[in-house]
């Protein structure tokens, strides 16, 4: 039998360029759910659940923060983003049935989720076990597994000389037109 295509959602506010940027993907959930990333609703990169039957959308993690990646497992969507701390990435699980948000990996100023050169965050979820890439300003990227509330680094610790990696210092400076404050990180030699 021939397949039938139909339009389930049309972004009329900002245009299609706001969909699927970076390594974010379209993901089917159940019979009528489609998860994708967009900046259309708030101009922040948020993960959205689209009900393809009712053509309604819901931001899974609204607010002044951004989602970098999502992984669906069971009834939850795991989001890599900076909603816990605007200056670093953590992992949260949003339950698709209740909307409840649970912190899985706490993003702090000292700890960063990610590390893949192609922009991926290395998040893998099987059941309630989460594997991810992580690093600090003193330790290079390593593989971590979190299961049953316990986190373990499963790759060997790097054997680097003391002071090889340095702590970045946050700096701000005005834009050339004076209307915006720019935020950056300054890496000084050890």
């Amino acid at each position: 039998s021939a397949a039938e295509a139909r339009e389930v959602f049309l972004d009329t506010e900002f245009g299609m360029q706001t969909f699927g940027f970076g390594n974010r993907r379209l993901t089917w959930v159940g019979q009528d759910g489609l998860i994708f990333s967009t900046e259309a609703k708030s101009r922040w990169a948020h993960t959205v659940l689209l009900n393809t039957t009712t053509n309604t959308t819901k931001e899974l993690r609204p607010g002044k923060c951004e989602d970098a990646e999502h992984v669906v497992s069971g009834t939850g969507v795991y989001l890599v983003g900076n909603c816990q701390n605007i200056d670093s990435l953590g992992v949260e699980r949003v339950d698709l049935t209740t909307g409840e948000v649970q912190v899985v990996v706490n993003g702090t100023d000292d700890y960063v989720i990610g590390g893949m050169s192609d922009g991926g965050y290395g998040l893998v979820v099987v059941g309630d076990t989460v594997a991810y890439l992580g690093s600090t300003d003193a330790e290079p990227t390593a593989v971590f597994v979190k299961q049953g509330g316990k986190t373990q680094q499963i790759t060997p610790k790097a054997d680097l000389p003391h002071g090889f990696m340095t702590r970045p210092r946050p700096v701000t400076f005005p834009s050339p037109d004076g209307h915006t404050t720019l935020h950056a990180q300054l890496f000084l030699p050890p």
Side-chain angles (χ1 to χ4, degrees), residues 175-190:
S175 64
D177 64 8
H179 294 293
T180 304
T181 300
L182 302 173
H183 296 263
Q185 294 182 347
L186 176 63
F187 291 85
L188 297 173

Side-chain angles (χ1 to χ4, degrees), residues 87-100:
D87 294 322
S88 66
L89 296 175
V91 179
E92 295 175 322
R93 180 186 183 276
V94 179
D95 189 297
L96 292 173
T97 57
T98 66
E100 179 183 344

Side-chain angles (χ1 to χ4, degrees), residues 6-134:
R6 66 183 172 96
E7 181 179 285
V8 294
F9 181 70
L10 176 63
D11 173 15
T12 57
E13 189 171 355
F14 295 108
M16 292 301 286
Q17 73 275 9
T18 62
F19 286 93
F21 43 87
N23 64 339
R24 297 154 185 101
R25 63 186 76 81
L26 293 170
T27 308
W28 281 107
V29 179
Q31 294 294 317
D32 58 2
L34 185 62
I35 294 177
F36 60 92
S37 296
T38 181
E39 294 180 335
K41 289 186 172 245
S42 63
R43 296 195 182 206
W44 290 86
H46 287 167
T47 303
V48 173
L49 173 62
L50 167 68
N51 183 312
T52 60
T53 302
T54 64
N55 295 346
T56 56
T57 60
K58 176 184 176 186
E59 288 184 331
L60 296 181
R61 193 67 179 91
K64 292 186 176 182
C65 57
E66 297 208 335
D67 299 328
E69 184 173 15
H70 67 267
V71 174
V72 176
S73 181
T75 62
V77 176
Y78 291 78
L79 302 173
V80 176
N82 65 357
C83 292
Q84 302 166 38
N85 179 338
I86 198 71
D87 294 322
S88 66
L89 296 175
V91 179
E92 295 175 322
R93 180 186 183 276
V94 179
D95 189 297
L96 292 173
T97 57
T98 66
E100 179 183 344
V101 178
Q102 172 191 7
V103 174
V104 178
V105 178
N106 190 21
T108 67
D109 289 327
D110 298 326
Y111 186 79
V112 178
I113 302 293
M116 295 178 74
S117 62
D118 66 356
Y121 293 90
L123 180 66
V124 179
V125 181
V126 177
D128 62 356
T129 301
V130 179
Y132 58 92
L133 299 174

Side-chain angles (χ1 to χ4, degrees), residues 104-106 111 113 130-132 143-154:
V104 178
V105 178
N106 190 21
Y111 186 79
I113 302 293
V130 179
Y132 58 92
V143 178
F144 293 85
V145 172
K146 183 167 187 176
Q147 183 177 32
K150 295 181 180 177
T151 302
Q152 178 181 0
Q153 181 176 333
I154 62 170

